[in-house]
Amino acid sequence: SQEANGSFETLYNFHILEDGSYPRSLNGAHFLQQLFPTFEQNSLTKDIYKNFYSTTEQNFEIKSKAIPPIQFTKKGGLVNVQGGSILESNIPAINGVIHRISKVLEPPNSVFETAANKSNEFINSILAVNQTFDDFKQIIAIGQGFVEKILANENDSITLFMPTDDAISEAISLGNLPNRPFNETISQNEAFSIVSYHTFASQNGPFLFDPSKNLPFNSNFNNETFVGSLFEGTTNETMPVWVYRKGSDLNQVSYSEEVFLNNARVFQCSDGYFGNFCRSTLISAKSSNLYALNGPKLCALHAIDKLLVPPIDSKDMKSLIGSMKEISTFSKILEQIGTDFSSENEPFTIFAPTNYALEQANASYPNFFSDSDRILEIVNYHIITGKMLFSRYFTEEQYFQTLAANGSAPIRISANSKDSDELKVYVNGFEMILSDLLATNGVVNVINETLIPNLEQISVGFGYVEIIDRYRTSKIAEMLGSEGNSTLFVPRKKTFSNGNGTHALLYNFLPNQTICLECGKQFHTNLSGSANLVLYETSEAKSNPFFTTISGIYANEAEFVDFKPINAINGQIWVLDRPIKSVELNIWEKLSEISHTRIFFGMVSSCPNVVQLMKGEGSGFYTIFVPSDKAFEAIGQKRTHKLARSKQLCNLIEFHVASDWLTTPILANATASDRSKISGSSFCGGITVPTVLRGETIDFQVGKGSLVFVGTSDWPFSASLVESDIVCTNGVIHVISSILTFKDYVSAV
């Protein structure tokens, strides 16, 4: 019959090894000496066959054409094949080689026969050593007739996931299963439902771990996908199970990867471990594929560490939330705003706040909860779509996008079990008090606080935990969560250096005001109230071939990383390439603190007009180019003293002062005409700036590597910037390497 022919073909293919590859085989065939565990190195520089003659017993497997591997045992040059001996070896043929053996190699049994096998030793040696499966075998026996029908099905490839006895004990303690003995507490129909929810059928073959040298836990478990079980709920629809590969890099399966079905972890290696715990035995560990054959169909069995529990009464997300008293307020809000839980957006993960948490949030933010748009944003900040996230999936730090802010507002989820054996999960720092409540289209987790997509929590969601922790100890804390409309600046590296104190926090926060990147140069008062934040755009900076920019838009000396803010319910978050430094001193005060510009500072004291500008007693901003002490040392002590007594001294000092806010990006932000004034293969011109000395200008040049130089049209590159962009309350200081002189300057020497 056709069925018999199919079974015979499977039996025949089980006696044929798949094509071999170097170094085990040079032409695809496996001669007797080539039946041995391969070396790690793919090299023939040593005798690669020496293992064949080893007196140590070695066990290994090679895949057959029927896919299930054939087991070999070798000792001292003698090879056994699944308990049979080789009677005659190396019979050559034009397309391979034949070995005559003492017994027929018996292909694996059906899934039902394998799962019902009373010998734990046989199952354990492949699925998970040190684990037992007596309870699940008993449940299979209770469902006998019904269960055998699906587990012996020859139309599809069946994969059965068997919970360990420890997993069954846990399910009993949680109330998901009745007490033992099961033959008195579980009916045949109930046994069938349990087994069918652990059974999966496919036309594309079973779920298998297919390890290779570099991918020890490679598998065909597709990450973040549904697989349909054979269990039909009260709606007579198959109940899908969610596949999740924790620690997965979809381009390369990592050593630390773990595979989950819902919240049950799959044993990956036969020594009874998962993921990273298999590393110590990678060389000898075998993947935990227990093969079975239902007729000609290849099937498999795996062990899992938890019982898969189907959704209660086949409830969808909306029904499940509506049935829970502790989150009834959240359920009413979902009804009020008409949240869509249609199949188009499946699956969902929701972190639902308790009734008390919502009551407290409503008292703290009454304006938020009286505004329908803001209520929608608050609800959306509790919802993740496209993923089912169970508590066991979480690591110490992960970030997930929610529906809030058009899908751009993340939350931070961290798992911490260091203080106890019990896993604790936190969402934006708030504890998850109830987890893994399964619906047909998602998972509900309950948290003890309300997630508000304000400046504080969204910053945490983006990973700015350290910065927000520092803000929480300052007077800004309340404003981050307030109902105003403020602006928060955060550095790209997600941390402030130790040198940035409370004042740095003040300078990175604009209370009750937002910014406009298209509005040109703007001045904003920081929370300190003592200085200005200057916001400006260098519209042509990107066209300068020697000055590197990100966006060309700056807040003081810090550059915007993106053109768009992260929107919060109470303002905007802008990411900068560095923190905005705290500014508390005017130019005069700051210059008095710089240790390597003492000589110039002493000379300025003789010029009252310049001192007045530096102290901020007039209006406007100024930029001063300060020669370093080394610049004066270069002309000698005698000439320096003579210069200090010169009638031209104040003119010379005024030539070092420009009346505007000029940071290095602005100096490099030249028009095409400016850039062409002086150019070469590694430099070009920058802007020309009028100085305080009437009628005199200084020019800037930009060199490769974003180097900025200062000089005149006659003497470019007169000085380089030794220290740039020292921001003050009334302007900017640049320390330069040389003393600048103007065209009509009469030397004091």
Side-chain angles (χ1 to χ4, degrees), residues 367-442:
N367 291 338
F368 289 172
F369 284 88
S370 61
D371 183 322
S372 59
D373 290 337
R374 285 179 163 179
I375 291 176
L376 178 61
E377 281 296 277
I378 291 171
V379 169
N380 284 343
Y381 199 46
H382 293 78
I383 302 175
I384 296 171
T385 61
K387 297 177 184 289
M388 292 180 65
L389 299 174
F390 291 84
S391 58
R392 301 181 78 196
Y393 297 178
F394 302 125
T395 59
E396 290 185 5
E397 187 174 33
Q398 289 172 283
Y399 300 89
F400 298 92
Q401 297 293 342
T402 66
L403 286 177
N406 294 319
S408 65
I411 53 177
R412 178 182 186 266
I413 301 181
S414 57
N416 182 6
S417 58
K418 294 179 181 177
D419 297 334
S420 66
D421 294 333
E422 182 183 357
L423 177 70
K424 290 186 177 182
V425 179
Y426 300 87
V427 183
N428 280 3
F430 305 131
E431 187 175 355
M432 186 188 298
I433 58 175
L434 198 58
S435 62
D436 306 336
L437 304 171
L438 183 62
T440 57
N441 59 340

Side-chain angles (χ1 to χ4, degrees), residues 32-135:
L32 185 63
Q33 290 87 344
Q34 294 168 324
L35 296 175
F36 66 95
T38 56
F39 286 139
E40 285 297 307
Q41 65 269 21
N42 292 337
S43 172
L44 286 175
T45 56
K46 297 180 179 180
D47 179 8
I48 68 167
Y49 297 115
K50 68 179 182 180
N51 267 7
F52 182 78
Y53 302 102
S54 169
T55 57
T56 304
E57 183 173 314
Q58 295 173 303
N59 299 295
F60 57 99
E61 60 184 34
I62 303 176
K63 283 185 180 178
S64 69
K65 288 283 188 180
I67 298 181
I70 298 175
Q71 307 295 322
F72 291 87
T73 303
K74 184 201 67 59
K75 185 176 182 180
L78 298 177
V79 177
N80 285 329
V81 186
Q82 296 206 169
S85 58
I86 295 179
L87 303 178
E88 186 178 358
S89 64
N90 299 337
I91 304 170
I94 60 173
N95 61 338
V97 62
I98 300 167
H99 305 284
R100 190 161 61 87
I101 56 178
S102 64
K103 59 175 285 189
V104 174
L105 303 180
E106 297 183 22
N109 290 322
S110 70
V111 175
F112 177 76
E113 292 168 330
T114 303
N117 190 316
K118 293 183 179 180
S119 170
N120 264 323
E121 183 178 349
F122 167 67
I123 292 181
N124 295 4
S125 64
I126 300 175
L127 288 185
V129 176
N130 301 325
Q131 297 290 336
T132 55
F133 303 88
D134 294 329
D135 287 331

